[in-house]
Amino acid sequence: MSAQASQGPAKRKKVAFLDREATSVTEAFLQRLLVGIHTFLSNGLAVAGLTIILLLIAVAAFAPWMATHDPNLQNLSMALKPPSSANWFGTDEYGRDIFSRIVYGSRVTLYIVTLVTITVGPIGLIVGTVSGYFGGMVDMIVMRITDLFLAFPGLILTLTFVAILGPGLEQAVLAIALTGWPAIARLARAETMTIRSSDYIAAARLQGASSLRIIFGSIIPVCLSSVIVRLTLGMASVILTAAGLGFLGLGAQPPTPEWGAMTSAGREYMLDSWWLVTAPGVAIMVVSLAFNLFGDGLRDVLDPKSK
Amino acid sequence: MGRFFKRNKLKRAAQSLASVLVTLLLLVTLTFFLGQVMPVDVVSRLVGPDADQATYQATYERLGLDQPIIVQFGIYISRMVQGDFGTALLTGHQVLDDIIRVFPATVELGTLALLIGAGIGVPLGVLAAVQRNRSADHIIRIVTLLGHSVPIFWIGLMGLLLFYSYLGWVGGGGRVEIYYEGLVETRTGLLLVDSLLAGDTEVFWSAVRHIILPATVLGYASMASLCRLTRSFMIDQLSQEYITAARVKGVSEWNVVWHHAFRNIRVQLLTVIALTYGSMLEGAVLIETIFAWPGFGQYLTNNLLLGDMNAIMVCVLLVGVIFITLNMLADLLYKIFDPRTVQ
């Protein structure tokens, strides 16, 4: 390395970092990272999506400072007031400040999305790769089970699980996660099957690596990028499903400031007080749009062939 | 050689039939065991809280609940095969009768929604592909992205607020104005068709005013996904060499797009549309709740809220069967219409 550097530093300097051949794993990684970041940043919509998500996280983290009122404080003399300088998005039927409830609702949304994603991702990834790697009987059983899950529109299966588990936020998260893993498993399985018989897996096997080591060391890292893309795009539908459950009264229960439940509660007063349903709906839409945009941008970077 | 292909085809058909049957069996098993873990005492629901121990015991035994679980499962399957899907716990109605009664309303809504979704989504997708990376494409992309991101129940509420409450252009909840209810004889269960058959234009227009908003809202989501898929199918085709050849030959752009490229995506599109039809059921659950639409979605939601497990399980079974059937149909369409799969 040092010999090379001393031989032609002048020549080297002219070649941009990205154009030169990587000489180490770290360098190759850094190059790819830079190209990826550049691709992502050149997609304005994706950057907008990421910005909104970061904002959402900030709002959730600093909710007590962002909110202008206590989200659960009832004040019947202030009920159903239209948007004003005191109550930016108006007040609901109990006189609670809608803006503050939306601010606190971001915590509920993030809680659901995070919990679902960190359960669904690893489970789907492991089930899919194991099933794809071993094939045979294991694979057949897993495939039939995922077939069964994928034979339903997501919301209806989720509703069924909620019916068993009972209404509530934790139950909704569990139900959404139960319906979510098969899609990830399928994806991971398909990726595994395409790389299962490639040379570097064979090489690892010849070196005496155990199946477990091959799956975790050589297969999962390769599947990871497409799974991450799918999970990100899936976050938008997790938000919509959770909001739908809340709207039907089967998700988060009052007085939790969940956006779907807020929309549902506002329905009764909607004809006279339009702001009750407008604000939480817009919140759901903006956040879900942000995850869709971010996921799209991420796909262009991580998984360009599936575009 | 011909014979070899035929046998091969038969084998493939048998294989796919077998896998469908396995999925169906799994589905029935799933609903059975879900019914087992439901935290509901079926017997006390049936006999009421005041029944004495003997009545309770009798009903308990009549339902076969004293049998081992495997035997119960056998009874469950044999009842299904005979077409007995059990009664709703709360109303005592046959669940199957209930579903047959409410289903046409959902079919009517879903079909119209699909027509709207495909009728707008497919041409928009073609336009987006032709105008790729130009402003029309970007606008369409944003419209479809919104369709993927907006909560369908919220659009429904906003639609009601704007078009019903402020503008008064459309009807509110329900399938017709309340004073037209039951005026038209039920023949197909599809109110639009029934009222036309009866020659009652007043009811027909009332029904149109009521269905147009929920169908449009429901269609919007399917429009978004159909548009995106059409766009990517078309871009695939338009980048092929035969398109360049056609252009070089001097074929007009209109003919290149519609007579060359579009013809080649019709099969793919048909398959996707068949699958989209099934996913209407999902949106219907929320839309029917908002628009007081007396269909399958509302029936399911009501039973979910009441905790009537028998009814829920039959609904779930039905949705599964519909989806499996549509999947099979989509496969079949592909095999019939794609010339490459015809031997």
Side-chain angles (χ1 to χ4, degrees), chain A residues 148-219:
Chain A
L148 184 64
F149 276 78
L150 296 172
F152 284 99
L155 184 64
I156 294 196
L157 198 58
T158 316
L159 282 175
T160 318
F161 286 128
V162 171
I164 301 167
L165 300 165
L169 189 58
E170 278 75 22
Q171 288 88 331
V173 169
L174 188 56
I176 297 174
L178 274 172
T179 14
W181 67 269
I184 302 294
R186 271 294 175 87
L187 182 69
R189 172 182 178 264
E191 293 261 323
T192 309
M193 307 244 310
T194 57
I195 56 172
R196 182 172 57 178
S197 44
S198 49
D199 290 344
Y200 80 96
I201 302 284
R205 204 176 296 136
L206 284 174
Q207 283 176 337
S210 67
S211 300
L212 202 68
R213 193 190 168 96
I214 291 176
I215 288 176
F216 278 92
S218 309
I219 293 181

Side-chain angles (χ1 to χ4, degrees), chain B residues 168-200:
Chain B
W169 291 353
V170 299
R175 296 176 80 184
V176 279
E177 299 297 340
I178 204 139
Y179 41 86
Y180 288 136
E181 207 88 59
L183 271 186
V184 178
E185 185 195 348
T186 306
R187 284 183 229 186
T188 57
L190 311 174
L191 202 57
L192 291 174
V193 180
D194 281 348
S195 57
L196 277 185
L197 284 179
D200 197 331

Side-chain angles (χ1 to χ4, degrees), chain A residues 43-291:
Chain A
N43 181 346
L45 288 175
V47 175
L50 179 62
T51 315
I52 297 174
I53 294 171
L54 292 177
L55 264 175
L56 177 81
I57 296 172
V59 167
F62 301 111
W65 293 277
M66 302 275 297
T68 51
H69 296 70
D70 179 343
N72 291 322
L73 184 70
Q74 302 188 6
N75 180 0
L76 290 179
S77 66
M78 283 294 288
L80 298 175
K81 289 273 185 288
S84 64
S85 58
N87 304 96
W88 296 344
F89 293 169
T91 61
D92 68 3
E93 71 274 24
Y94 295 113
R96 296 175 296 199
D97 180 53
I98 294 183
F99 173 74
S100 307
R101 287 180 69 71
I102 296 223
V103 166
Y104 274 90
S106 64
R107 289 188 164 182
V108 182
T109 302
L110 270 182
Y111 174 77
I112 296 173
V113 168
T114 315
L115 221 53
V116 169
T117 308
I118 59 172
T119 22
V120 163
I123 293 178
L125 201 54
I126 290 172
V127 171
T129 44
V130 166
S131 151
Y133 183 73
F134 289 109
M137 207 49 193
V138 184
D139 187 41
M140 214 199 74
I141 293 170
V142 172
M143 279 311 100
R144 286 290 83 81
I145 294 174
T146 52
D147 265 354
L148 184 64
F149 276 78
L150 296 172
F152 284 99
L155 184 64
I156 294 196
L157 198 58
T158 316
L159 282 175
T160 318
F161 286 128
V162 171
I164 301 167
L165 300 165
L169 189 58
E170 278 75 22
Q171 288 88 331
V173 169
L174 188 56
I176 297 174
L178 274 172
T179 14
W181 67 269
I184 302 294
R186 271 294 175 87
L187 182 69
R189 172 182 178 264
E191 293 261 323
T192 309
M193 307 244 310
T194 57
I195 56 172
R196 182 172 57 178
S197 44
S198 49
D199 290 344
Y200 80 96
I201 302 284
R205 204 176 296 136
L206 284 174
Q207 283 176 337
S210 67
S211 300
L212 202 68
R213 193 190 168 96
I214 291 176
I215 288 176
F216 278 92
S218 309
I219 293 181
I220 285 187
V222 178
C223 302
L224 211 55
S225 62
S226 55
V227 166
I228 288 177
V229 170
R230 178 69 68 90
L231 279 175
T232 316
L233 286 171
M235 285 178 185
S237 66
V238 168
I239 291 172
L240 289 182
T241 309
L245 286 177
F247 182 78
L248 290 172
L250 296 163
Q253 297 297 306
T256 313
E258 198 271 325
W259 297 339
M262 283 170 70
T263 315
S264 168
R267 252 175 91 194
E268 266 180 75
Y269 310 92
M270 179 180 81
L271 295 186
D272 302 313
S273 319
W274 53 268
W275 56 91
L276 256 66
V277 289
T278 313
V282 171
I284 301 169
M285 182 177 71
V286 168
V287 171
S288 143
L289 186 66
F291 278 107

